[in-house]
């Protein structure tokens, strides 16, 4: 299974409307499954839907003058949003 880092680095390739489920605690190396709402995998927790995760990364970049987030920064931004329902401050 892919890691959270791998999924977020290839987020544009993930199907719109899918959900990211990950092993907790959420870290870059957490095991991840991208699946539909009606097929949550056992043992993994809901992290975020693919489309909002894309939005999180767009906002991260916009708030940092168009910078591209590193793999670690992607994970931090998405998990921050999932935990706080808010974008990670710049």
């Amino acid at each position: 299974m892919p890691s959270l880092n791998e999924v977020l680095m290839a987020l544009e390739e993930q199907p719109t409307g899918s959900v990211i489920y990950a092993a907790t605690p959420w870290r870059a190396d957490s095991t991840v499954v991208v699946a539909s709402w009606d097929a949550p995998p056992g043992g993994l927790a809901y992290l975020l839907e693919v489309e909002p995760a894309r939005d999180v990364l767009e906002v991260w970049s916009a708030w940092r003058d168009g910078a591209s987030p590193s793999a670690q920064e992607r994970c931090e931004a998405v998990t921050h949003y999932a935990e706080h329902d808010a974008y990670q401050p710049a």
Side-chain angles (χ1 to χ4, degrees), residues 61-76:
S61 182
W63 286 7
R64 289 159 182 85
D65 298 321
S68 294
S70 69
Q72 185 62 36
E73 289 167 333
R74 286 171 179 257
C75 291
E76 290 170 0

Side-chain angles (χ1 to χ4, degrees), residues 5-78:
N5 181 36
E6 292 167 332
V7 167
L8 294 179
M9 289 303 291
L11 196 56
E12 292 304 319
E13 299 170 17
Q14 303 305 322
T16 299
S18 295
V19 178
I20 303 168
Y21 297 95
T24 56
W26 295 323
R27 301 184 315 239
D29 63 347
S30 293
T31 300
V32 169
V33 169
V34 177
S36 65
W37 274 107
D38 60 348
L44 301 178
Y46 168 87
L47 176 65
L48 201 59
E49 297 160 61
V50 167
E51 199 59 34
R54 289 177 183 152
D55 293 342
V56 166
L57 298 179
E58 286 178 22
V59 168
W60 187 99
S61 182
W63 286 7
R64 289 159 182 85
D65 298 321
S68 294
S70 69
Q72 185 62 36
E73 289 167 333
R74 286 171 179 257
C75 291
E76 290 170 0
V78 169

